[in-house]
Amino acid sequence: MTDYNFAYLDEQTKRMIRRAILKGIAVPGYQVPFASREMPMPYGWGTGGVQVTAACLVPEDKLKVIDQGADDTTNAVSIRRFFQRTANVAVTEATEEATVIQTRHRIPETPLTEGQILVYQVPIPEPLRFLEPRETETRKMHELEEYGLMHVKLYEDIARHGQIATSYAYPVKVEGRYVMDPSPIPKFDNPKLGQNPAIQLFGAGREQRIYALPPYTEVVSLDFDDHPFQPSKAAHDCDLCGAKDSYLDEVITDDAGGRMFVCSDTDFCAGRRAKGHTGRLGEAA
Amino acid sequence: MIEAATPSDTTPPDLTREPMELPATRPLRLQALTRGDEGFVLSMAYSTQRGYGRTHAFVGELRIGMVAVEVEIPELGFAVEIGEVELTECETVNQFKGSKSEPPQFTRGYGLVFGQSERKAIAMSLVDRALRWEELGEDFTGAPAQDEEFVLMHCDNIQATGFLEHIKLPHYVDFQAELELVRRLRSEAQAMQEAAE
Ligand SMILES: [Zn+2]
């Protein structure tokens, strides 16, 4: 078979997903159930994000796909190829050029702009899941805005560890109403969620949920007055481009404990190097 | 002597076209079990035989046959018959001494599965019967096979396989975040210990 409906999904399905997206945008942070379809990729590999992207794409779009911040990771490469083949859309690695960006585990370092759509792949959309495994219970807790359990968990962290011991998928409160799971992005990325000019859409295929943050939404990482939220990263600069403010991967370089720290956002790092910035191990472009 | 199975013309919900809603109706539960992993359904059924939500089943009907498969093409708006598929169907008759709401009678469990698989069809019937505790006025004993959300949300092996195997994908961004956290917690714990000495 060589012909696909544009972006793989049939038009009825896209309509159904768009309705869920619109509902999500109308009620920021609320998890909208949707009839997730079986996709030609395994669950847990971005089926939710792919369906959301498919429902958003138009032929004029320019698509960027990243996993762990990188365009050349296996999941990102597969999904980018999938849409090249089924939607024939242009693709890019440059954050500022992209109209739709599908991501797993990161928000790009380059600030997003109005008109861009950021689509997150979400494994477990329910922020309360590991406190209460039953969906029937957690939906009630959201309805009643009963988030005491989450605050108790964060408080117990502080009592035991002196700080909130959550480093990624750090829960946020949206517009003072819904507690939301931002997907497993490092908490370093949390400040980028709020007041973002782009539309942020979250797709969880296996769990059949879509949720959204419209542009310029108020998003607050949960914390306490005396233990304010702190984004964190490795205390280094990028060894290739010298960036002081980007999220870093730690790469082991030999068997003697040698290591380097490099930007996880490959486009951001390459862009800085192209402009002549260098780090400890970098060479000027 | 056996519970009435009242015929209904209501169109059942379609699990492939609507998200799973809990609590689920019986048609939705049956669809999920039919699609469920044979090993999972078998183990759940076996657990009811060993007393975790006992189902006291006798096999009332067990048969194998071919049925036509129709596929509705969304863009065309009509159904096309694409072939035949083999199914195994089972109906169990279950002992039931009655409850507050129901008189003593035989109750039913139902299984319908793809292929020639008496084992899965019987297993499905037992699990179906165990999940019907509420409508028959039985007690929830905490048995896994009675727990609708646990059974229905974990029986799909396509979902389970995908999510399990996705941990092969890179996770180094999350790992790095966790690494920094553990390093910080350890250095603070060590500093506290040294201060105490
Ligand atoms: Zn860099």
Side-chain angles (χ1 to χ4, degrees):
Chain A
M1 186 162 143
T2 52
D3 289 335
Y4 296 93
N5 194 43
F6 177 77
Y8 185 80
L9 293 174
D10 64 89
E11 295 303 315
Q12 292 297 338
T13 295
K14 283 195 232 169
R15 241 166 261 161
M16 175 274 292
I17 294 170
R18 286 172 191 148
R19 278 195 291 270
I21 291 172
L22 289 174
K23 185 168 179 181
I25 287 175
V27 192
Y30 170 74
Q31 299 169 54
V32 184
F34 84 110
S36 176
R37 298 293 192 253
E38 288 180 6
M39 299 299 287
M41 56 173 53
Y43 286 113
W45 296 56
T47 56
V50 162
Q51 290 178 76
V52 169
T53 296
C56 289
L57 278 182
V58 292
E60 298 75 31
D61 269 320
K62 204 169 228 194
L63 177 69
K64 172 181 167 77
V65 185
I66 50 173
D67 176 12
Q68 313 295 299
D71 299 87
D72 59 355
T73 33
T74 171
N75 193 233
V77 169
S78 307
I79 292 170
R80 188 166 58 239
R81 279 202 198 134
F82 175 76
F83 283 116
Q84 281 179 293
R85 189 164 161 197
T86 60
N88 199 26
V89 286
V91 296
T92 180
E93 295 192 2
T95 299
E96 57 268 40
E97 279 179 19
T99 53
V100 177
I101 303 173
Q102 180 167 331
T103 181
R104 177 169 174 264
H105 296 189
R106 276 309 313 274
I107 300 176
E109 305 290 358
T110 308
L112 302 177
T113 52
E114 279 183 19
Q116 287 184 306
I117 299 175
L118 182 60
V119 178
Y120 295 76
Q121 299 173 204
V122 181
I124 303 279
E126 177 50 70
L128 305 168
R129 179 61 68 241
F130 298 111
L131 305 172
E132 167 54 63
R134 283 181 197 280
E135 179 71 10
T136 38
E137 291 300 318
T138 53
R139 279 193 86 78
K140 258 184 247 159
M141 290 158 76
H142 284 292
E143 263 170 46
L144 302 171
E145 214 175 331
E146 206 180 290
Y147 296 126
L149 202 59
M150 179 63 92
H151 287 105
V152 168
K153 189 260 172 200
L154 298 178
Y155 176 75
E156 281 176 354
D157 270 10
I158 292 170
R160 277 189 64 195
H161 308 293
Q163 54 192 289
I164 294 170
T166 297
S167 59
Y168 61 92
Y170 190 103
V172 295
K173 194 159 202 182
V174 178
E175 290 288 335
R177 177 59 180 87
Y178 286 101
V179 167
M180 186 193 96
D181 182 304
S183 90
I185 55 172
K187 69 176 182 171
F188 173 84
D189 281 339
N190 273 29
K192 301 175 196 160
L193 292 161
Q195 304 303 331
N196 196 314
I199 295 175
Q200 299 174 80
L201 304 176
F202 299 79
R206 189 177 40 78
E207 298 280 341
Q208 306 184 306
R209 296 289 184 270
I210 284 171
Y211 50 104
L213 297 171
Y216 304 108
T217 299
E218 183 195 57
V219 180
V220 178
S221 299
L222 298 183
D223 63 359
F224 296 99
D225 289 341
D226 51 348
H227 281 89
F229 170 80
Q230 279 178 326
S232 64
K233 64 186 270 291
H236 293 267
D237 300 342
C238 173
D239 282 329
L240 294 181
C241 78
K244 297 179 183 313
D245 51 0
S246 72
Y247 190 77
L248 301 173
D249 297 331
E250 182 174 342
V251 184
I252 305 296
T253 51
D254 54 35
D255 291 342
R259 64 195 65 203
M260 64 189 290
F261 289 87
V262 294
C263 294
S264 104
D265 185 333
T266 48
D267 170 60
F268 178 76
C269 195
R272 279 180 52 85
R273 277 178 285 152
K275 285 181 196 145
H277 298 282
T278 53
R280 187 174 64 94
L281 304 170
E283 287 160 31
Chain B
M1 291 292 276
I2 188 156
E3 66 165 314
T6 328
S8 165
D9 289 333
T10 324
T11 309
D14 181 347
L15 188 55
T16 69
R17 286 294 174 269
E18 285 154 58
M20 171 73 81
E21 294 273 3
L22 297 166
T25 56
R26 192 175 177 209
L28 212 52
R29 290 202 302 250
L30 292 171
Q31 289 170 44
L33 290 172
T34 292
R35 295 160 61 91
D37 180 71
E38 178 170 345
F40 180 90
V41 177
L42 172 65
S43 290
M44 283 292 145
Y46 177 48
S47 71
T48 71
Q49 291 184 289
R50 290 197 64 260
Y52 288 81
R54 196 169 170 206
T55 47
H56 319 265
F58 301 100
V59 168
E61 175 73 88
L62 185 58
R63 57 186 185 158
I64 295 163
M66 304 296 289
V67 294
V69 178
E70 282 188 354
V71 171
E72 201 180 294
I73 314 290
E75 276 86 0
L76 301 181
F78 56 83
V80 181
E81 191 175 318
I82 58 165
E84 289 189 314
V85 68
E86 190 175 37
L87 296 179
T88 305
E89 185 184 47
C90 175
E91 189 154 40
T92 53
V93 174
N94 304 66
Q95 277 175 247
F96 179 62
K97 299 204 166 59
S99 65
K100 277 179 215 128
S101 60
E102 304 296 319
Q105 61 190 307
F106 291 102
T107 55
R108 299 170 192 264
Y110 183 73
L112 181 69
V113 305
F114 291 110
Q116 179 176 331
S117 181
E118 296 182 338
R119 175 170 72 167
K120 185 177 173 186
I122 299 169
M124 177 175 162
S125 308
L126 265 58
V127 177
D128 169 46
R129 176 59 188 81
L131 288 173
R132 296 183 62 212
W133 63 271
E134 200 162 14
E135 68 195 84
L136 294 170
E138 293 175 319
D139 290 331
F140 177 71
T141 63
Q146 287 182 311
D147 189 330
E148 175 181 89
E149 180 163 350
F150 183 82
V151 172
L152 300 189
M153 297 305 278
H154 302 110
C155 65
D156 186 319
N157 61 8
I158 309 295
Q159 294 178 350
T161 300
F163 196 50
L164 184 109
E165 291 187 350
H166 105 280
I167 56 180
K168 294 192 298 183
L169 285 176
H171 281 80
Y172 52 81
V173 160
D174 311 349
F175 183 77
Q176 188 68 36
E178 207 62 16
L179 187 61
E180 299 294 340
L181 176 69
V182 172
R183 277 178 181 153
R184 204 163 53 243
L185 293 177
R186 282 178 68 93
S187 72
E188 280 166 20
Q190 200 176 357
M192 291 237 305
Q193 205 170 1
E194 277 164 16
E197 277 164 9

